[in-house]
Amino acid sequence: MSASIFLYLFAFFAGLAVASFQAWPPIILIFFAAIGLAFLSRRGRLFFMLLAVFCLGAWRASVSAAADSLLTPYLGKPASNWQFQVCTDPEPAWDKQIVILCMLEPSSGKFSKDKIIANLPLYPRVYYGDTLNLHCLLEKPPVFADFDYAAFLAARGIGALCAWPQVNALEREENRRDIFSRLFIFKREMLRQINQSLPEPAAGLAAALLLGYKKTLFPAENLIWQKAGLSHLVAISGGHITLFLSLLINLLVYLGINKRFALWPALFGAGLYVFLTGWQASAFRSLLMGGIFLYAWRRGRLSSAWLPLLLAGAIMLWNNPNLWRHDLGFQLSFLAIAGMIAFYPLLTSVFTHHFTHSRLRLVFEAFSLSLSAQLTIWPLLAWRSGGVSLIAPLSNILAFSVFSPLMISLISSLGFNFLFGFSEFIWLPSKALLNYLLFLARLAASIPGAYVETPNFHLAYVIAYYFVIILFFLGRYYILTKRRRLILGPTKKDS
């Protein structure tokens, strides 16, 4: 049964991938024909059912690609009285506010689901739910030689940009009642408290780590963190959440809590962390993938995580078929978790007998998880980012060793600020841990050979690398299965 589910998932992914490059208009006819032949045929039932699932994936990708945006008629047309609503939490940066807006449809008088992205001045501050009257020129996102910015935005539901509009009017609803409005206002207050309590660049790092604001770090610091292999700390990913959960569970176990029971408070802590970031779609996907991996890992059945991971991937791609091609965060999350499932048992089976001490074993487990993720994501990083950090497995362990204490310290310090006011003494632990991370990133990035630039790394190399990995694990599975049959003898299925 499980083998057939894997086949159906593979057929769905294949159909989605093929139709992402070339739409198939008559796909529905083929789908119904395949369903009919599956019920009429006995020997070829599986083949026709797989064909039907393939067509389903192709149909979903074709429908997504053919969807017309309501913004299309307005592209290239300037207007002095455009009305928009801020439909996500604005991203604060050093010199601007990056705002996602929903346009008011003139025909219906309602705000559409089609989004645009705009850069606004730092002041006046805008918040989720605000209504803006803008002088704006809607433009189609450009496609650069090395980056498809239009596809990148389309994967997030953004169909146009308005670089620097003029704000004619700002309407703010003071009595916001929905949970997201209150959450985002609370986030902004936490950001204000962090900026007042910590110096830069520690304040920018704290805002990125705790609140999910990716633009609060200096641009130069972002480059340092990329070279150190730590940039995912300020960009939530599946591997990020998994390592966070792993080390939080290890901390709870060290404090005397049962290993299986420790999973649940760790998941609650990770869920609270994702909630604080504004419950972003990328954060929710990462929590889901990380939770799947940790649940299977802690139950001692890591191989059983493949099916939930693929099912979660299929659901996400059904909701947004553009993710697999244009969302680097989704790609890295999925590949990082897949690498942990594939490589972690192999690494531990080879090296775990060298670590008999319990603390050394915990450190080795964390290092193995980090290395497993890096083994699968480095070709993609080399191709998409133009470089790869060789020191990332080590720097990740050194960074994540203080991640849980840092989160607890930051939340506790903010709570003290809200209740009693600012106290420099209360913020000392957070400041020390943030300075440790900043020092670690600079040290790791400064080591000769820690970061290798790959300007000529082509897609063909990425495909070849993953093809070799798949062949390796298929061959290993075949050898292990054959050895097991020699030891146990032929089973009823074999005879």
Side-chain angles (χ1 to χ4, degrees), residues 305-321:
W306 280 115
L307 184 57
L309 177 65
L310 293 174
L311 284 171
I315 293 171
M316 294 174 196
L317 290 176
W318 177 268
N319 182 59
N320 187 351

Side-chain angles (χ1 to χ4, degrees), residues 240-260:
H240 174 187
I241 292 292
T242 301
L243 283 172
F244 172 56
L245 283 169
S246 169
L247 291 165
L248 188 55
I249 289 171
N250 287 337
L251 176 63
L252 294 172
V253 170
Y254 183 74
L255 294 175
I257 299 176
N258 181 271
K259 181 184 287 189
R260 290 197 174 185

Side-chain angles (χ1 to χ4, degrees), residues 180-209:
F180 283 107
S181 295
R182 295 181 179 181
L183 171 63
F184 293 144
I185 291 173
F186 182 57
K187 276 185 66 179
R188 285 302 184 91
E189 179 58 26
M190 287 194 289
L191 177 63
R192 189 182 70 83
Q193 295 284 348
I194 288 173
N195 288 334
Q196 289 183 351
S197 305
L198 292 169
E200 292 294 348
L205 178 58
L209 292 175

Side-chain angles (χ1 to χ4, degrees), residues 349-411:
S349 65
V350 174
F351 297 107
T352 192
H353 61 277
H354 294 294
F355 301 91
T356 56
H357 195 277
S358 58
R359 292 185 181 179
L360 289 177
R361 185 181 293 272
L362 290 177
V363 173
F364 174 72
E365 285 184 358
F367 178 78
S368 298
L369 283 175
S370 178
L371 181 59
S372 299
Q374 295 296 322
L375 285 173
T376 49
I377 67 174
W378 79 261
L380 190 62
L381 287 174
W383 175 49
R384 297 287 296 271
S385 303
V388 60
S389 175
L390 301 181
I391 203 171
L394 179 60
S395 62
N396 273 271
I397 298 307
L398 296 175
F400 273 101
S401 63
V402 301
F403 194 81
S404 298
L406 175 58
M407 293 296 107
I408 295 170
S409 176
L410 285 172
I411 293 172

